[in-house]
């Protein structure tokens, strides 16, 4: 009898050695007892963000190395923007030129308005002269009838009336021309204002392109890869760096149909990594697939339905991740334990243990 027990213990030890430390630890865990817990294998993942060039160009410098932590808004790379800087200088000069043109147009408008005033004054003068000529001609006609003056004088006075009328017409035409010149000067000012706005728009666009040349981290994270090196030329949308958002970390695993049907959003979970089995990380289910990942092609029997698995994500609390940013490593394999019955306490082996 003692020999039989000894042989059984030897068999168990041999099985443990054959499975390996990680698999043996999983085999000995009490989590999946009484259908209150379910486990799934998965890997730690995180949201990946690519920092890319908006426009084609040469990479001038990269300020972050692989593994560096960066904050949202930090400049992580700089594109070569010498050509854009030259264009911006030219655009600013164009703005100054159009502003000068507007001032010239304003001065021209003031001159044209003065011409209108002078033409109106001349018209008043010519009308006064015409009025005087008409009165003089009328008296001359009366005196000629009495033979008090010669016909030559009367004819001269009548001619002055006709000259006065012509002068009034000329003065009126000069006013019309001066007013047209005023409208032209006003239109020139409007064109100058539009040219200034267009030039300023070019300046703003080029300034935006310059700002886009300084590539910033869109959110807090860790540099995972440097896709290119300084001096390389990239196309528009070309990747420069790849970041990992260490505030959005989760494990993706798969559960059979019967277990996935009992898992809801916010269900508590525990993550144990193969590389750090002495730590138990708390998490919550944040996603359960609505479609099975493996669906039988033929008639679904009960055994076939058991082959259907659903993808599940267990997300780690961002506040917890903020306390241990240096411990977050994507790609690590592990086991996710999900508690199906919330009234059942977690076993001792799955109590939260953190660094």
């Amino acid at each position: 009898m003692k020999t039989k027990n000894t042989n059984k213990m030897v068999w168990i030890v041999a099985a443990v050695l054959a499975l390996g430390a990680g698999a043996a630890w999983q085999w000995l865990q009490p989590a999946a007892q009484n259908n209150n817990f379910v486990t799934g294998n998965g890997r730690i993942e995180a949201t990946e963000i690519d920092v890319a060039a908006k426009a084609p160009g040469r990479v001038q410098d990269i300020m972050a190395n692989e593994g560096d932590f960066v904050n949202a808004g930090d400049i992580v790379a700089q594109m070569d923007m010498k050509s854009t800087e030259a264009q911006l200088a030219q655009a600013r000069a164009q703005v100054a030129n159009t502003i000068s043109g507007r001032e010239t147009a304003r001065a021209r408008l003031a001159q044209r308005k003065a011409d209108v005033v002078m033409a109106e004054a001349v018209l008043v003068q010519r009308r006064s002269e015409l009025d005087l000529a008409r009165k003089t001609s009328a008296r001359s006609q009366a005196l000629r009838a009495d033979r008090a003056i010669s016909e030559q004088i009367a004819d001269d006075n009548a001619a002055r009336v006709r000259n006065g009328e012509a002068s009034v017409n000329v003065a009126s035409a000069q006013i019309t021309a001066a007013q047209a010149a005023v409208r032209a000067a006003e239109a020139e000012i409007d064109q100058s204002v539009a040219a200034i706005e267009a030039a300023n728009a070019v300046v703003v666009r080029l300034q935006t392109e310059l700002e886009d040349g300084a590539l910033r981290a869109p959110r807090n994270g860790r540099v995972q890869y440097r896709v290119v090196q300084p001096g390389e030329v990239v196309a528009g949308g070309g990747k420069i760096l790849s970041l990992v958002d260490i505030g959005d970390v989760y494990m993706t695993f798969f559960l059979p149909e019967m277990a996935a049907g009992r898992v809801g959003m916010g269900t508590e979970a525990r993550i144990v990594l193969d590389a750090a089995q002495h730590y138990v990380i708390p998490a919550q289910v944040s996603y359960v697939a609505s479609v099975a990942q493996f669906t039988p092609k033929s008639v679904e029997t009960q055994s076939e339905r058991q082959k259907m698995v659903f993808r599940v994500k267990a997300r780690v609390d961002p506040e917890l991740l903020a306390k241990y940013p240096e411990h977050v490593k994507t790609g690590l394999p592990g086991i996710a334990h999900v508690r199906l019955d919330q009234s059942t306490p977690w076993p001792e082996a799955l109590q939260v243990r953190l660094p």
Side-chain angles (χ1 to χ4, degrees), residues 144-159:
R144 186 179 63 175
D146 296 337
R147 299 182 181 276
I149 59 173
S150 64
E151 290 188 4
Q152 180 65 41
I153 295 176
D155 291 340
D156 291 341
N157 290 333

Side-chain angles (χ1 to χ4, degrees), residues 81-93 202 206 210:
M81 305 301 292
K82 293 184 178 63
S83 176
T84 305
E85 289 172 353
Q87 293 177 15
L88 178 59
Q90 181 181 4
R92 285 173 173 165
V202 173
L206 293 173
L210 279 180

Side-chain angles (χ1 to χ4, degrees), residues 7 13 36 50 52 59 121 144 151-152 179 182 201 203 209 290 304 309 338:
N7 291 336
V13 172
N36 293 328
D50 292 326
V59 180
R144 186 179 63 175
E151 290 188 4
Q152 180 65 41
Q179 289 174 341
V182 167
V203 169
E209 291 182 6
S290 58
E304 287 174 334
V309 294
V338 181

Side-chain angles (χ1 to χ4, degrees), residues 1 9 29 41 54 62 64 66 74 80 84 122 202-203 206 243 249 297 306 317 326 333:
M1 190 69 174
M9 182 59 67
Q29 289 303 306
N41 296 314
K54 185 176 180 180
I62 299 178
E66 294 178 354
D74 288 350
D80 186 353
T84 305
V122 170
V202 173
V203 169
L206 293 173
L243 307 180
V249 178
K297 298 179 181 179
Q306 290 175 355
D317 186 357
E326 66 282 355

Side-chain angles (χ1 to χ4, degrees), residues 126 129-141 144 149-168:
R126 295 295 180 263
E129 292 173 352
L130 176 60
D131 184 58
L132 178 61
R134 284 174 175 171
K135 291 179 179 179
T136 302
S137 178
R139 287 194 295 269
S140 298
Q141 294 298 327
R144 186 179 63 175
I149 59 173
S150 64
E151 290 188 4
Q152 180 65 41
I153 295 176
D155 291 340
D156 291 341
N157 290 333
R160 289 190 183 95
V161 171
R162 291 190 294 273
N163 289 336
E165 291 174 346
S167 297
V168 168

Side-chain angles (χ1 to χ4, degrees), residues 196-254:
I196 292 172
E197 293 177 352
N200 281 326
V202 173
V203 169
V204 171
R205 177 178 61 81
L206 293 173
Q207 287 176 336
T208 302
E209 291 182 6
L210 279 180
E211 293 174 359
D212 290 338
L215 306 183
R216 301 177 182 272
R219 63 177 76 175
N220 299 342
R222 186 177 61 221
V223 178
Q224 188 174 19
Y225 302 113
R226 286 176 59 156
V227 182
V228 299
Q229 298 300 325
E232 294 188 40
V233 176
V234 296
K239 298 178 183 178
I240 309 297
L241 293 170
S242 178
L243 307 180
V244 173
D245 183 358
I246 57 176
D248 188 11
V249 178
Y250 52 89
M251 174 176 280
T252 299
F253 55 97
F254 295 89

